[in-house]
Every structure is written in C-alpha cells, then in structure tokens.
Amino acid sequence: MGSWRVYPAVAAGAFRRYATYRAATAAGVFTNTVFGLILVYTYLALWEARPGLGGYDQAQAVTYVWLGQALLAMLAVQGGGFETELMERIRTGEIAVDLYRPVDLQLWWLANDVGRAVFQLLGRGVVPFLFGALFFPAALPGEAAVWGAFLVSLLLAVLVSFAIRYLFALSVFWLLDGQGVAQAVMVTGVFCSGMTLPLNAFPGGLGEVVRALPWAAQLQVPADVLMGETAVPAAYLFQAAWAVALLAAGRLVQSAATRRVVVQGG
Amino acid sequence: MADAFIELDRIEKVFEVRRKTGFLKRERRRVRAVDSLSFRVERGEMVGYIGPNGAGKSTTVKMLTGILTPSAGRLRVAGIDPSRERTRLAHRMGVVFGQRTTLWWDLPLIDSYKLMHRMYRIPDARYRENLDRLVELLGLGELLDVPVRQLSLGQRMRGDIAAALLHDPEVLYLDEPTIGLDVISKTRVREFLRQLNTERATTVLLTTHDLQDIEQLCSRVMVIDHGRLVYDGALAGLHEVGESERTLVVDLERELPPIDAPAPARVVRVEGPRQWLAFPASESAAGLVARIAARYPLVDLSVREPDIEAVIAKMLRGTGDVPEPPPDRDASPVTEPS
C-alpha cells in the first residue's frame, strides 16, 4: 500500500499539472460553452415539440445541458483523463516504472484522476455552468443541502467514471494498443452517459438498459439529484454499488494484468 | 555463507507467446527467457550485468525487483522473496532506467522529490539531508524548480538518479544510466556512482552497452546470453576469453603502405593516409603508439574501445558454446505461478 500520505500528494500534483495547461483549459471552456449553446437550442426545440420529455420541463432540460458541459471534462466522459497516459505507459512498457514503487497501482491512478477531476471541475466546469445559469432559464435548487447532496453524488460519479476507464485502460495489457480502446471509451461514454440526450428520455427497453448501466451514474444521476428528480438515498446506492463493483473488478483485472507486464518491451 | 545480498538459485522464466499463424489460428510457443540462472552478489558489490539484446537482462532485473515471478528456482534479495513482498522490497531498492523516467514530466523537479518523500515515508530530517547531498553531488541546485520536460537528457538522468536514492536504498539497479549522455555528463554520473558505492556500500547492479561504464565502475562482470550465465568474473578476463581487440586509428602525413606493426597488432584497414590497427584489449596502447610515432610521420591518432556485443560474440564463438535458441515447443506444461 505504501504510505497513505502519498495519495493526497499525488492528487495535488495532478491538480497542479493540469493547471499548467492554461491555453488548453481556456480552449476547453470556450468549446464547452459553444457546444452548450448548440445543444440548448436543439433541446429547446425538442422540448417545444415534446413538452415534459423524460419528465423534464424546458428549464430542467436546459440545466441538464449546462451540467453536462460543466462535467464533461471532470468526468472525462469522452476519455482524455488518466487512462490516456496509463494506456500509453502500458503500451511502451513504462508501466514497469510504476510497479517498482511501493504504492498500489489502482490507488495511485485514482489519486491522479481525482486531482485532475477537481481541477477540471473548477477550471473547465464553473464558467460554462454560470454562463448557462445567467443567460438561460435554469432549474436550480435554493437550499444548500441539495447542493451538498449533489457534491456527494458528484464524488461518487468520479469514482465510477474512474473505475470504468481503469478497466478499459487495463485491457491494453492484452490488446497491446490503446487507440481502439480510446475510441470505445469515447463512444460508450458519450452515448451511455446521456451526453447527447438525457437517459430519462431514452425510449422503452433501451432506456431501461442504459439507466441501469454504470454510465448512468456519471451525469444522469447527479443531474437528477441536483434537480430533485430522484430520491437521494436510492441515487447514492446506485452509484456506490457500481463504484464498488467496478473498482473490485479493476483490482481483479489488475492482478491478472501485472503478471503480463514483461511482454511489452524491456 | 558470506553476506549474499542477491541470491539466485537455478532461476527460470518461461513465457508463453501466442502468435497469429492464419485467420483465427494461433500458435502457442514457449520462450525460455531465463534458463537455470544462478549467481550471488555480496552486499556492497558493484556488478556489471551485460549481454546482447534479448539475452534476458531485463527479465532478470524484473524478477529481482519483484514485478515478475520466476517460473522455477529460488530468488532472494536482502532475504526477501521479491515477487511475494514487492512493496516491502521497494522501500529498500532503487531503480533507474536510462530511457525511462520516474519524474513528473510537467512539474518542477522538486515536486517529484517531495512525492518520493511521502511515498517512501522518509523521515523529514533524513530527507533534507539526502536531498542536500544529492543536489550537491549531482549538481541539481539550479534545476530543482525547472519542469522536468525542460531538462536536457543528462540533467534528467541525474534527476532520476537522485530520485532513486532519496530513500537510501540498499541496492540500486541501473539500466543504461549513461545512454545518450555527452562525455561530461557520463563522467559525472560515473564519478557519482563510484562515490556512492564506496561511501555508502550500496550494492549496484549495472546493465549497460557501454564497456567504459563497466571498465570504470565494476570489478566484476556477468555476461548473460540466451538466458544463461556465460561468464562471471573480472572484465580483464572477459577480454582474454573473448580475445577482444581495441582499434588504433592513425592518421599519417601521406598515403603509405600498411604500417609494419609488432604482432599481435596488425593493420586491418587502410584508407588513404588513415590506417586502422587492431591490438589486444588487454594490452596498453602506449608501446604501439611510441613505436609508430618513432618510425612514421604521425599526424593524429585515436583509440577505439571494443563494443560489448563484439566481445561477447567473439567469446561465444571462441568457446564454441553458442547455445541454440531453445524452441521449447514440446516439453511438459509450464505452470505460471501466481
């Protein structure tokens, strides 16, 4: 395990590391805002034609859009988090360096991703969200308790998001190349997290399925907690169950994977 | 039994490799990367570990550091079975790869050191003391606040060596520590390693392609080929066994017939006024140079060291002991230890 104090240090380092990419952050904020605008007008048209779609009114649909843009980078819904680096390290064999350390591999990368997520929430999330709340109708709660519940839900979302991508990344031990995996992370992330359309609005059986998958824990559940569309304990239970299951699966795969380390490079 | 710090007893490592042989067809093949390898290294020794690419060097190091489990045999480092107690051993060892870095790429060098401080639970006073000493010896003072990605290769290498030593490891594994470095950086790294070994009695296992690393640092050298130890002894002995030769390159004033050199030295190539003479690596070049200078219009000269691959290849040919690459396709099933 190593010393517990190393993990906060890793998270702090990851935070500072992302903070050094200022131009990328600014470009990201701009992109999220523009995409938010496009989606908002699309949603407005859609909810005009289908009022109450997915149980949301127009203000809720718009809030959902801005929430999605604000959390996109934080939850690395399209990839681009720690897993890009981890896959590259596995591919080049550089992962060996990580294994020489007296630390737990999964906790090490989790700490890394938490540091990154916190930076992305502040650096990439706040501005698009405030922009949306200022210039468009919004369905935001007044009570601090709901915001608190939302933050907890967000933390659980970070764990699930990490756990999903950790499993994807470890597959490179067998696949030996991460390009296809990165694509898979992106496609499943965007579709199953509800980045295109709220999962609540998915019809019939498909809706039932995607709402039960772990990706639902990333955007849909925190959004519903914030807008009071779900019972908080049930939401936490759903997220925590997926987090525990996927993190445990990650540990299992990790122990199988590290035995294969040597195959890639000297 | 002396104080054997590293102990390998008939260690084997067999990998199963699957190869595509047609549409959806896979052929399973076992590759024996390390084959009945036994050696001991005493505490405080500095040993060169060399061999051609793919000989099993890094597989050995991976087993010594515990990230790979031997298929058979007994392995102990500081009395610990590395693969069973990798994390415990990690606190007592340092690893440096010439071509890889443990440092935090985007952050200042000092941030990586602060992380090591936490990672290895180094007591504060100890950390300060070690950091100061390493910064001074490796000349890192100016570099601590520079992001690692802006460091030159030589600077980064020194930074990596410091990172590997902050927690006072008892053993240091070095893989090509001088690769790609300029002469000054090489000298600096070597001097530091020598000092570390004498002052702190750190056991060092050095993997390299640079014969000069070995020459200047190691009294003992082990040669591995096809997963087997084919030589273990002094470097001089390796030269003798391998009949390795150095090359003296002389530039004369004008084109002349091949120099009449005293045997066993001989001219191996002539190109205009430049001539190449081969002579045994175990002999000094001084006599030969003096003799040529006295009798020929000498303008310039240089001595080239034999490269390690050539020495080993020659040695293997010389003893007639060139093991065939073991195909290992038959044999009994190999169980991969967990």
Side-chain angles (χ1 to χ4, degrees):
Chain A
M1 284 290 144
S3 164
W4 283 101
R5 290 173 69 189
V6 71
Y7 302 109
V10 170
F15 183 96
R16 266 176 292 133
R17 206 183 125 194
Y18 276 86
T20 61
Y21 304 133
R22 288 197 193 132
T25 304
V29 166
F30 178 74
T31 312
N32 289 142
T33 311
V34 171
F35 261 92
L37 283 171
I38 296 169
L39 275 176
V40 159
Y41 286 112
T42 315
Y43 277 29
L44 282 175
L46 185 59
W47 260 263
E48 192 71 48
R50 298 277 307 276
L53 179 63
Y56 287 167
D57 59 27
Q58 274 200 351
Q60 282 178 315
V62 168
T63 303
Y64 183 90
V65 168
W66 291 114
L67 206 53
Q69 291 306 310
L71 301 183
L72 180 72
M74 181 203 195
L75 299 173
V77 174
Q78 298 176 302
F82 80 97
E83 80 284 356
T84 318
E85 195 186 343
L86 177 54
M87 287 190 287
E88 184 62 12
R89 291 180 81 82
I90 296 170
R91 193 182 68 78
T92 58
E94 211 144 309
I95 188 77
V97 176
D98 301 343
L99 293 171
Y100 289 137
R101 295 173 174 147
V103 292
D104 180 81
L105 196 67
Q106 193 185 33
L107 281 174
W108 171 273
W109 288 106
L110 175 60
N112 234 298
D113 207 45
V114 168
R116 182 200 59 80
V118 173
F119 174 78
Q120 299 289 37
L121 177 67
L122 301 175
R124 293 270 305 263
V126 171
V127 172
F129 192 74
L130 288 180
F131 177 85
L134 274 176
F135 296 104
F136 292 89
L140 296 174
E143 317 91 273
V146 179
W147 284 96
F150 169 67
L151 282 182
V152 173
S153 179
L154 216 47
L155 181 73
L156 290 168
V158 168
L159 289 180
V160 173
S161 150
F162 166 81
I164 293 173
R165 285 174 293 130
Y166 193 66
L167 281 169
F168 269 115
L170 289 184
S171 72
V172 176
F173 273 109
W174 288 271
L175 298 174
L176 310 185
D177 186 78
Q179 286 187 20
V181 182
Q183 293 280 329
V185 168
M186 190 173 99
V187 171
T188 52
V190 170
F191 184 77
C192 300
S193 303
M195 281 307 297
T196 42
L197 195 67
L199 300 181
N200 291 354
F202 276 44
L206 178 66
E208 299 293 329
V209 172
V210 289
R211 283 191 291 274
L213 292 176
W215 287 274
Q218 299 198 104
L219 173 59
Q220 188 65 59
V221 171
D224 284 345
V225 168
L226 184 69
M227 298 190 289
E229 285 293 308
T230 179
V232 173
Y236 286 178
L237 188 67
F238 176 76
Q239 290 183 301
W242 271 121
V244 169
L246 293 174
L247 288 171
R251 294 207 78 81
L252 272 176
V253 177
Q254 166 183 317
S255 69
T258 47
R259 265 177 257 142
R260 295 180 53 95
V261 149
V262 72
V263 181
Q264 295 285 75
Chain B
M1 287 291 231
D3 185 16
F5 188 73
I6 299 173
E7 214 177 341
L8 280 81
D9 188 15
R10 280 163 290 165
I11 286 293
E12 313 231 333
K13 182 68 198 180
V14 182
F15 295 113
E16 196 162 273
V17 182
R18 270 188 221 121
R19 213 177 38 180
K20 214 171 172 173
T21 51
F23 183 67
L24 293 180
K25 263 198 219 153
R26 295 270 196 289
E27 185 190 70
R28 283 175 164 223
R29 209 166 64 91
R30 272 197 296 277
V31 177
R32 198 170 291 267
V34 169
D35 188 5
S36 194
L37 184 67
S38 303
F39 65 77
R40 298 155 59 91
V41 176
E42 311 297 317
R43 190 180 284 274
E45 259 194 295
M46 201 157 177
V47 182
Y49 192 51
I50 61 178
N53 290 329
K57 295 187 301 273
S58 60
T59 303
T60 313
V61 173
K62 278 172 182 156
M63 288 192 286
L64 289 172
T65 51
I67 64 172
L68 214 59
T69 315
S71 309
R74 186 173 179 277
L75 171 59
R76 290 288 179 278
V77 176
I80 295 175
D81 181 350
S83 63
R84 279 183 190 281
E85 295 183 84
R86 177 173 69 79
T87 311
R88 205 178 119 206
L89 187 62
H91 281 281
R92 300 173 64 176
M93 67 180 199
V95 185
V96 177
F97 287 107
Q99 287 159 310
R100 287 169 185 168
T101 185
T102 188
L103 304 171
W104 229 322
W105 198 243
D106 299 299
L107 294 178
L109 191 54
I110 188 72
D111 287 25
S112 291
Y113 296 157
K114 286 180 184 158
L115 191 69
M116 301 291 162
H117 182 189
R118 297 274 165 258
M119 196 184 327
Y120 292 97
R121 278 175 284 185
I122 310 166
D124 292 351
R126 198 64 208 251
Y127 169 75
R128 273 253 64 88
E129 189 190 316
N130 282 349
L131 183 63
D132 290 347
R133 183 175 54 89
L134 290 165
V135 163
E136 196 201 316
L137 287 175
L138 289 163
L140 297 170
E142 310 275 285
L143 308 175
L144 286 177
D145 296 317
V146 179
V148 172
R149 66 178 130 83
Q150 289 173 19
L151 298 179
S152 74
L153 185 62
Q155 292 169 335
R156 203 221 74 208
M157 193 65 229
R158 283 182 276 138
D160 256 310
I161 292 175
L165 292 170
L166 281 169
H167 60 291
D168 288 318
E170 293 159 70
V171 57
L172 181 63
Y173 301 105
L174 292 163
D175 186 28
E176 303 283 359
T178 60
I179 197 163
L181 301 192
D182 59 54
V183 180
I184 297 165
S185 299
K186 272 187 188 178
T187 313
R188 202 160 185 177
V189 166
R190 286 178 192 144
E191 253 166 36
F192 171 79
L193 292 174
R194 201 170 324 149
Q195 206 172 340
L196 176 81
N197 181 248
T198 37
E199 285 176 8
R200 304 233 148 189
T202 308
T203 309
V204 179
L205 192 71
L206 171 66
T207 307
T208 184
H209 278 85
D210 189 330
L211 211 50
Q212 291 209 316
D213 282 347
I214 306 266
E215 226 151 46
Q216 298 186 10
L217 293 173
C218 306
S219 50
R220 176 181 168 196
V221 53
M222 297 190 289
V223 180
I224 184 174
D225 187 59
H226 291 109
R228 293 167 189 236
L229 200 61
V230 292
Y231 179 85
D232 185 354
L235 183 67
L238 178 64
H239 282 313
E240 253 163 52
V241 178
E243 297 166 337
S244 71
E245 292 180 319
R246 289 196 283 173
T247 309
L248 179 68
V249 185
V250 294
D251 286 334
L252 304 175
E253 264 173 21
R254 57 187 181 281
E255 214 165 311
L256 284 170
I259 291 169
D260 172 31
R266 66 197 188 282
V267 174
V268 289
R269 188 174 160 201
V270 180
E271 211 170 83
R274 177 171 284 192
Q275 303 200 8
W276 283 258
L277 291 94
F279 65 101
S282 49
E283 279 179 26
S284 159
L288 187 60
V289 172
R291 190 161 166 151
I292 294 169
R295 295 170 52 190
Y296 291 88
L298 187 60
V299 179
D300 201 2
L301 60 84
S302 65
V303 178
R304 290 185 193 161
E305 298 298 324
D307 76 272
I308 225 150
E309 255 86 21
V311 175
I312 295 167
K314 211 156 180 181
M315 182 186 92
L316 295 174
R317 266 203 311 277
T319 55
D321 177 32
V322 188
E324 287 297 309
D328 247 326
R329 212 170 297 182
D330 44 345
S332 50
V334 181
T335 45
E336 186 74 8
S338 51

mmCIF file of all heavy atoms in Angstrom, chain A residues 5-15 107-109 111-112 115, chain B residues 104 115:
data_model
loop_
_atom_site.group_PDB
_atom_site.id
_atom_site.type_symbol
_atom_site.label_atom_id
_atom_site.label_comp_id
_atom_site.label_asym_id
_atom_site.label_seq_id
_atom_site.Cartn_x
_atom_site.Cartn_y
_atom_site.Cartn_z
ATOM 1 N N ARG A 5 -0.145 8.876 2.967
ATOM 2 C CA ARG A 5 0.036 10.306 2.693
ATOM 3 C C ARG A 5 0.520 10.561 1.272
ATOM 4 O O ARG A 5 0.518 11.694 0.810
ATOM 5 C CB ARG A 5 1.030 10.894 3.692
ATOM 6 C CG ARG A 5 0.441 10.964 5.088
ATOM 7 C CD ARG A 5 1.470 11.385 6.089
ATOM 8 N NE ARG A 5 1.865 12.781 5.902
ATOM 9 C CZ ARG A 5 2.891 13.318 6.559
ATOM 10 N NH1 ARG A 5 3.610 12.612 7.373
ATOM 11 N NH2 ARG A 5 3.208 14.582 6.356
ATOM 12 N N VAL A 6 0.923 9.506 0.591
ATOM 13 C CA VAL A 6 1.407 9.730 -0.769
ATOM 14 C C VAL A 6 0.237 10.047 -1.710
ATOM 15 O O VAL A 6 0.379 10.814 -2.649
ATOM 16 C CB VAL A 6 2.219 8.517 -1.287
ATOM 17 C CG1 VAL A 6 1.344 7.323 -1.562
ATOM 18 C CG2 VAL A 6 2.988 8.905 -2.535
ATOM 19 N N TYR A 7 -0.941 9.497 -1.424
ATOM 20 C CA TYR A 7 -2.043 9.658 -2.382
ATOM 21 C C TYR A 7 -2.576 11.095 -2.462
ATOM 22 O O TYR A 7 -2.787 11.601 -3.571
ATOM 23 C CB TYR A 7 -3.136 8.625 -2.112
ATOM 24 C CG TYR A 7 -2.580 7.211 -2.208
ATOM 25 C CD1 TYR A 7 -2.419 6.419 -1.083
ATOM 26 C CD2 TYR A 7 -2.137 6.711 -3.426
ATOM 27 C CE1 TYR A 7 -1.860 5.145 -1.163
ATOM 28 C CE2 TYR A 7 -1.574 5.448 -3.521
ATOM 29 C CZ TYR A 7 -1.440 4.663 -2.387
ATOM 30 O OH TYR A 7 -0.876 3.430 -2.481
ATOM 31 N N PRO A 8 -2.769 11.778 -1.316
ATOM 32 C CA PRO A 8 -3.113 13.204 -1.430
ATOM 33 C C PRO A 8 -2.033 13.988 -2.184
ATOM 34 O O PRO A 8 -2.348 14.907 -2.952
ATOM 35 C CB PRO A 8 -3.200 13.664 0.032
ATOM 36 C CG PRO A 8 -3.488 12.439 0.809
ATOM 37 C CD PRO A 8 -2.826 11.307 0.087
ATOM 38 N N ALA A 9 -0.770 13.599 -1.969
ATOM 39 C CA ALA A 9 0.324 14.297 -2.674
ATOM 40 C C ALA A 9 0.227 14.069 -4.183
ATOM 41 O O ALA A 9 0.463 14.983 -4.975
ATOM 42 C CB ALA A 9 1.673 13.826 -2.147
ATOM 43 N N VAL A 10 -0.155 12.846 -4.555
ATOM 44 C CA VAL A 10 -0.312 12.545 -5.982
ATOM 45 C C VAL A 10 -1.462 13.364 -6.567
ATOM 46 O O VAL A 10 -1.351 13.958 -7.643
ATOM 47 C CB VAL A 10 -0.577 11.032 -6.194
ATOM 48 C CG1 VAL A 10 -0.979 10.757 -7.633
ATOM 49 C CG2 VAL A 10 0.655 10.232 -5.831
ATOM 50 N N ALA A 11 -2.575 13.420 -5.827
ATOM 51 C CA ALA A 11 -3.738 14.174 -6.301
ATOM 52 C C ALA A 11 -3.379 15.656 -6.449
ATOM 53 O O ALA A 11 -3.715 16.287 -7.460
ATOM 54 C CB ALA A 11 -4.905 13.996 -5.339
ATOM 55 N N ALA A 12 -2.665 16.182 -5.462
ATOM 56 C CA ALA A 12 -2.276 17.592 -5.515
ATOM 57 C C ALA A 12 -1.358 17.848 -6.713
ATOM 58 O O ALA A 12 -1.493 18.854 -7.414
ATOM 59 C CB ALA A 12 -1.580 17.991 -4.220
ATOM 60 N N GLY A 13 -0.466 16.899 -6.964
ATOM 61 C CA GLY A 13 0.434 17.046 -8.105
ATOM 62 C C GLY A 13 -0.334 17.030 -9.413
ATOM 63 O O GLY A 13 -0.057 17.828 -10.311
ATOM 64 N N ALA A 14 -1.309 16.114 -9.524
ATOM 65 C CA ALA A 14 -2.102 16.035 -10.756
ATOM 66 C C ALA A 14 -2.879 17.331 -10.963
ATOM 67 O O ALA A 14 -2.974 17.838 -12.077
ATOM 68 C CB ALA A 14 -3.067 14.851 -10.683
ATOM 69 N N PHE A 15 -3.402 17.882 -9.871
ATOM 70 C CA PHE A 15 -4.123 19.149 -9.958
ATOM 71 C C PHE A 15 -3.221 20.235 -10.534
ATOM 72 O O PHE A 15 -3.563 20.924 -11.495
ATOM 73 C CB PHE A 15 -4.623 19.557 -8.560
ATOM 74 C CG PHE A 15 -5.436 20.815 -8.541
ATOM 75 C CD1 PHE A 15 -6.818 20.773 -8.569
ATOM 76 C CD2 PHE A 15 -4.811 22.065 -8.500
ATOM 77 C CE1 PHE A 15 -7.580 21.937 -8.565
ATOM 78 C CE2 PHE A 15 -5.561 23.239 -8.496
ATOM 79 C CZ PHE A 15 -6.940 23.173 -8.521
ATOM 80 N N LEU A 107 -4.828 2.738 -6.611
ATOM 81 C CA LEU A 107 -4.972 3.942 -5.789
ATOM 82 C C LEU A 107 -4.142 5.095 -6.344
ATOM 83 O O LEU A 107 -4.553 6.251 -6.309
ATOM 84 C CB LEU A 107 -4.530 3.649 -4.348
ATOM 85 C CG LEU A 107 -5.548 2.911 -3.484
ATOM 86 C CD1 LEU A 107 -4.934 2.559 -2.141
ATOM 87 C CD2 LEU A 107 -6.794 3.762 -3.293
ATOM 88 N N TRP A 108 -2.972 4.751 -6.856
ATOM 89 C CA TRP A 108 -2.089 5.756 -7.454
ATOM 90 C C TRP A 108 -2.819 6.494 -8.589
ATOM 91 O O TRP A 108 -2.862 7.711 -8.644
ATOM 92 C CB TRP A 108 -0.831 5.074 -7.962
ATOM 93 C CG TRP A 108 0.076 5.922 -8.788
ATOM 94 C CD1 TRP A 108 -0.001 6.125 -10.140
ATOM 95 C CD2 TRP A 108 1.194 6.685 -8.339
ATOM 96 N NE1 TRP A 108 0.999 6.963 -10.547
ATOM 97 C CE2 TRP A 108 1.752 7.327 -9.478
ATOM 98 C CE3 TRP A 108 1.790 6.880 -7.095
ATOM 99 C CZ2 TRP A 108 2.874 8.140 -9.389
ATOM 100 C CZ3 TRP A 108 2.905 7.700 -7.021
ATOM 101 C CH2 TRP A 108 3.427 8.320 -8.146
ATOM 102 N N TRP A 109 -3.423 5.719 -9.494
ATOM 103 C CA TRP A 109 -4.093 6.337 -10.641
ATOM 104 C C TRP A 109 -5.404 6.993 -10.241
ATOM 105 O O TRP A 109 -5.810 7.996 -10.828
ATOM 106 C CB TRP A 109 -4.312 5.310 -11.753
ATOM 107 C CG TRP A 109 -3.025 4.961 -12.424
ATOM 108 C CD1 TRP A 109 -2.306 3.812 -12.291
ATOM 109 C CD2 TRP A 109 -2.273 5.789 -13.330
ATOM 110 N NE1 TRP A 109 -1.156 3.876 -13.037
ATOM 111 C CE2 TRP A 109 -1.119 5.066 -13.691
ATOM 112 C CE3 TRP A 109 -2.464 7.066 -13.853
ATOM 113 C CZ2 TRP A 109 -0.156 5.583 -14.558
ATOM 114 C CZ3 TRP A 109 -1.500 7.575 -14.726
ATOM 115 C CH2 TRP A 109 -0.364 6.837 -15.069
ATOM 116 N N ALA A 111 -5.888 8.505 -7.353
ATOM 117 C CA ALA A 111 -5.481 9.791 -6.785
ATOM 118 C C ALA A 111 -5.177 10.784 -7.898
ATOM 119 O O ALA A 111 -5.592 11.943 -7.868
ATOM 120 C CB ALA A 111 -4.257 9.602 -5.888
ATOM 121 N N ASN A 112 -4.482 10.279 -8.915
ATOM 122 C CA ASN A 112 -4.174 11.084 -10.089
ATOM 123 C C ASN A 112 -5.431 11.659 -10.724
ATOM 124 O O ASN A 112 -5.520 12.829 -11.059
ATOM 125 C CB ASN A 112 -3.502 10.166 -11.114
ATOM 126 C CG ASN A 112 -2.190 10.706 -11.579
ATOM 127 O OD1 ASN A 112 -2.140 11.773 -12.171
ATOM 128 N ND2 ASN A 112 -1.121 9.982 -11.288
ATOM 129 N N GLY A 115 -7.326 14.301 -8.587
ATOM 130 C CA GLY A 115 -6.680 15.607 -8.703
ATOM 131 C C GLY A 115 -7.054 16.293 -10.011
ATOM 132 O O GLY A 115 -7.368 17.481 -10.052
ATOM 133 N N TRP B 104 8.019 13.467 -12.566
ATOM 134 C CA TRP B 104 6.764 14.048 -13.012
ATOM 135 C C TRP B 104 7.017 15.026 -14.146
ATOM 136 O O TRP B 104 7.534 16.111 -13.933
ATOM 137 C CB TRP B 104 6.096 14.772 -11.838
ATOM 138 C CG TRP B 104 4.682 14.411 -11.687
ATOM 139 C CD1 TRP B 104 3.784 14.181 -12.691
ATOM 140 C CD2 TRP B 104 3.971 14.244 -10.456
ATOM 141 N NE1 TRP B 104 2.569 13.879 -12.152
ATOM 142 C CE2 TRP B 104 2.646 13.908 -10.796
ATOM 143 C CE3 TRP B 104 4.314 14.347 -9.113
ATOM 144 C CZ2 TRP B 104 1.672 13.682 -9.838
ATOM 145 C CZ3 TRP B 104 3.347 14.118 -8.168
ATOM 146 C CH2 TRP B 104 2.037 13.791 -8.523
ATOM 147 N N LEU B 115 7.252 14.099 -3.605
ATOM 148 C CA LEU B 115 6.409 12.910 -3.702
ATOM 149 C C LEU B 115 7.145 11.673 -3.166
ATOM 150 O O LEU B 115 6.569 10.853 -2.451
ATOM 151 C CB LEU B 115 6.004 12.696 -5.159
ATOM 152 C CG LEU B 115 4.921 11.654 -5.379
ATOM 153 C CD1 LEU B 115 3.587 12.141 -4.840
ATOM 154 C CD2 LEU B 115 4.787 11.334 -6.856
#
